[in-house]
Amino acid sequence: MSDLRVPKLWREIPQHYRLEASKCLSCGRIYFPPKTICNNCKSKNLEKTALPRKGVIETFTIIRNAPSKYELYAPYAIAIVKLENDVKILAQITDCEPAKLQIGMPVEAVIRRLYDDGENGVIHYGFKFRPVF
Ligand SMILES: [Zn+2]
């Protein structure tokens, strides 16, 4: 595993950074990542909503042959996480040996480096989930 130093950008992200989704005000469906038009009822009447940061692993798969920008992390696990409000999101699991993951394991959202954009050197951040012990 290579040395993933914590860049300045990460330290500057506020503690209260939200796991932001959008909610359709017509039919109630929640989208993550946020959408501006509801797939279900075609309404454009959506508002930003914060998702709970905790949930459980509903199912997961281990990725061994990663796309090139994620090679650094392989093998890693991708899971469907069922959040406390029953919304399900697909996310990478971090801070845990993939072999130790279990269905039903409690997890929480954290901000992590996702990948470097090789062409312009931009480091992309996003949410991953880590087990809560
Ligand atoms: Zn809708």
Coordinates of all heavy atoms in Angstrom, one line a residue, residues 24-29 31 38-43, ligand 1:
C24 N -37.5 14.4 -4.3 CA -38.6 14.9 -5.1 C -39.7 15.3 -4.2 O -40.2 14.5 -3.4 CB -39.0 13.8 -6.0 SG -40.5 14.2 -7.0
L25 N -40.2 16.5 -4.3 CA -41.3 17.0 -3.5 C -42.6 16.5 -3.9 O -43.6 16.6 -3.2 CB -41.3 18.5 -3.4 CG -40.0 19.1 -2.8 CD1 -40.0 20.6 -2.9 CD2 -39.8 18.6 -1.4
S26 N -42.7 15.9 -5.2 CA -44.0 15.4 -5.7 C -44.2 14.0 -5.2 O -45.3 13.6 -4.7 CB -44.0 15.5 -7.2 OG -43.8 16.8 -7.6
C27 N -43.2 13.1 -5.4 CA -43.4 11.7 -5.0 C -42.5 11.2 -3.9 O -42.7 10.1 -3.4 CB -43.2 10.8 -6.3 SG -41.5 10.7 -6.8
G28 N -41.6 12.0 -3.4 CA -40.8 11.6 -2.2 C -39.6 10.8 -2.5 O -38.8 10.5 -1.6
R29 N -39.3 10.5 -3.8 CA -38.1 9.7 -4.0 C -36.8 10.5 -3.8 O -36.8 11.7 -4.0 CB -38.2 9.2 -5.5 CG -37.2 8.1 -5.8 CD -37.5 7.4 -7.0 NE -38.6 6.5 -6.9 CZ -38.9 5.5 -7.7 NH1 -38.1 5.2 -8.7 NH2 -40.0 4.7 -7.5
Y31 N -32.7 10.9 -4.4 CA -31.6 10.5 -5.3 C -30.2 10.9 -4.8 O -30.0 12.0 -4.3 CB -31.8 11.3 -6.7 CG -33.1 10.8 -7.4 CD1 -34.2 11.6 -7.2 CD2 -33.1 9.7 -8.1 CE1 -35.4 11.2 -7.9 CE2 -34.2 9.3 -8.8 CZ -35.4 10.0 -8.6 OH -36.6 9.6 -9.2
C38 N -36.9 14.3 -11.5 CA -37.2 13.0 -10.9 C -37.4 11.9 -12.0 O -38.2 12.1 -12.9 CB -38.5 13.1 -10.1 SG -39.0 11.6 -9.3
N39 N -36.7 10.8 -11.9 CA -36.9 9.7 -12.9 C -38.3 9.1 -12.7 O -38.8 8.5 -13.7 CB -35.9 8.6 -12.5 CG -34.5 8.9 -13.2 OD1 -34.3 9.9 -13.8 ND2 -33.6 8.0 -12.9
N40 N -38.8 9.1 -11.6 CA -40.1 8.5 -11.3 C -41.3 9.2 -11.8 O -42.1 8.6 -12.5 CB -40.2 8.2 -9.8 CG -41.4 7.4 -9.4 OD1 -41.6 6.4 -10.0 ND2 -42.1 7.8 -8.4
C41 N -41.4 10.5 -11.5 CA -42.6 11.2 -11.9 C -42.3 12.4 -12.8 O -43.2 13.2 -13.1 CB -43.3 11.7 -10.6 SG -42.5 13.0 -9.7
K42 N -41.0 12.6 -13.2 CA -40.6 13.7 -14.1 C -40.7 15.1 -13.5 O -40.6 16.1 -14.2 CB -41.3 13.6 -15.5 CG -41.3 12.2 -16.1 CD -39.9 11.8 -16.4 CE -39.8 10.4 -17.0 NZ -38.5 9.7 -16.8
S43 N -41.0 15.2 -12.3 CA -41.1 16.5 -11.6 C -39.7 17.2 -11.6 O -38.7 16.5 -11.5 CB -41.6 16.3 -10.2 OG -41.5 17.6 -9.5
Ligands
ZN1 ZN -40.9 12.4 -8.2

